[in-house]
Amino acid sequence: MDAAPVHAGRHRRERNRTMRIAVAGGTGTLGHHIVEVARERGHEIVSLTRSSGVDLIAGHGLAARLAGVDAVIDAANITTLSATASTEFFTAVTRNLLAAEREAGVGRHVVVSIVGIDRAPESYYAGKLAQEREVAAGGVPYTIVRATQFHEFAGQMASQTSFAGVVLAPTGTFQPIAARSVAEKLVDVAEGEPVGGTVEIAGPQPESVSDAVRAVVRAGGKRGPVIPVALPMPMLKALRNGAVLPDAGTELRGPTFAEWLAAQ
């Protein structure tokens, strides 16, 4: 299957009016791309951040920020391998967002999730599944966008598994996608009608995780050993057993990992 153009779907916004879009997690790996894409398309952005007076976990400040908002895109995130911590975070944030959206009359809720997590419902993924359930039952028209791991994932792995100049590269296969491409899809969805379900998006081709980690390390100028290792964490087991690879028919968007890395 050919990858769809990176800017696919923009014809839809030409029929849409300028929107007021609130973004949760707008300063993160994905979130800053969402803000950038939405602004490029002429939309007004409402940031749901602590600096704007919002506490997503406690729910403070949301009501005022969501007044007049057309759509919320939720890219808020937590870095954890604990199923309990992940579930508590995503449940609290999602319930607070949806309650404030219902009160403010927000017309659509868009949230990013992960391809295949129902096949690997452990660790961090457990929280994302809980989030999906909250969204489906939350009473606000919604679309869940499941994406594969970002191209940036390889660099994150390299940073987390580097010891004394040696990098332990997780083994397995993934089909990574650029965070910018996911952001474009999320804004596409926010501009369209809610589907009341899930859509999926992936990068253009499968890649070896360890090869991708090695490529990132070498691109950064480091020449130390990069050793493929079957690390035991549940999320990495899912990469080895193919649980988080996309199904046939999933929408594919470039660039490839090699193209993305060359542009960094």
Side-chain angles (χ1 to χ4, degrees):
M1 182 183 299
D2 293 334
V6 171
H7 302 298
R10 288 193 174 179
H11 63 281
R12 286 196 295 272
R13 85 172 179 282
E14 294 174 1
R15 301 196 302 266
N16 291 344
R17 62 183 175 83
T18 298
M19 299 174 65
R20 194 170 194 218
I21 299 175
V23 180
T27 59
T29 299
L30 174 62
H32 82 276
H33 286 295
I34 296 170
V35 171
E36 182 180 73
V37 170
R39 283 180 172 155
E40 287 173 0
R41 299 185 186 185
H43 299 306
E44 178 186 354
I45 295 298
V46 177
S47 296
L48 304 179
T49 60
R50 287 188 179 276
S51 62
S52 66
V54 172
D55 184 331
L56 291 172
I57 296 175
H60 300 154
L62 280 171
R65 296 294 288 171
L66 292 184
V69 163
D70 299 296
V72 169
I73 301 178
D74 182 10
N77 199 20
I78 183 174
T79 301
T80 182
L81 294 178
S82 165
T84 299
S86 179
T87 300
E88 288 177 351
F89 173 83
F90 286 114
T91 298
V93 168
T94 304
R95 287 178 178 173
N96 290 334
L97 281 171
L98 292 170
E101 289 168 32
R102 290 193 299 269
E103 182 69 21
V106 175
R108 58 200 74 176
H109 181 94
V110 180
V111 63
V112 63
S113 190
I114 305 167
V115 167
I117 54 173
D118 44 350
R119 299 188 289 264
E122 301 174 287
S123 187
Y124 171 84
Y125 294 158
K128 295 300 288 184
L129 278 174
Q131 180 183 43
E132 290 187 2
R133 290 192 291 268
E134 293 291 335
V135 170
V140 177
Y142 72 94
T143 304
I144 297 167
V145 178
R146 283 187 172 186
T148 50
Q149 288 70 33
F150 301 156
H151 291 324
E152 289 85 350
F153 177 80
Q156 293 165 358
M157 287 292 96
S159 297
Q160 295 170 14
T161 61
S162 178
F163 304 95
V166 177
V167 177
L168 302 180
T171 55
T173 303
F174 67 155
Q175 193 160 325
I177 185 170
R180 166 80 188 200
S181 298
V182 177
E184 290 177 339
K185 179 65 174 181
L186 289 164
V187 178
D188 288 347
V189 168
E191 292 170 336
E193 293 300 317
V195 304
T198 301
V199 298
E200 297 196 349
I201 185 170
Q205 63 191 37
E207 307 276 358
S208 161
V209 179
S210 57
D211 286 351
V213 170
R214 181 178 292 104
V216 167
V217 170
R218 297 294 180 247
K222 297 179 181 178
R223 294 293 176 259
V226 179
I227 304 172
V229 177
L231 297 172
M233 289 82 84
M235 288 174 59
L236 300 180
K237 288 181 180 179
L239 294 174
R240 292 197 298 277
N241 64 25
V244 291
L245 289 173
D247 295 325
T250 298
E251 178 184 350
L252 306 182
R253 290 196 185 190
T256 66
F257 178 77
E259 291 167 342
W260 171 85
L261 185 58
Q264 299 309 298

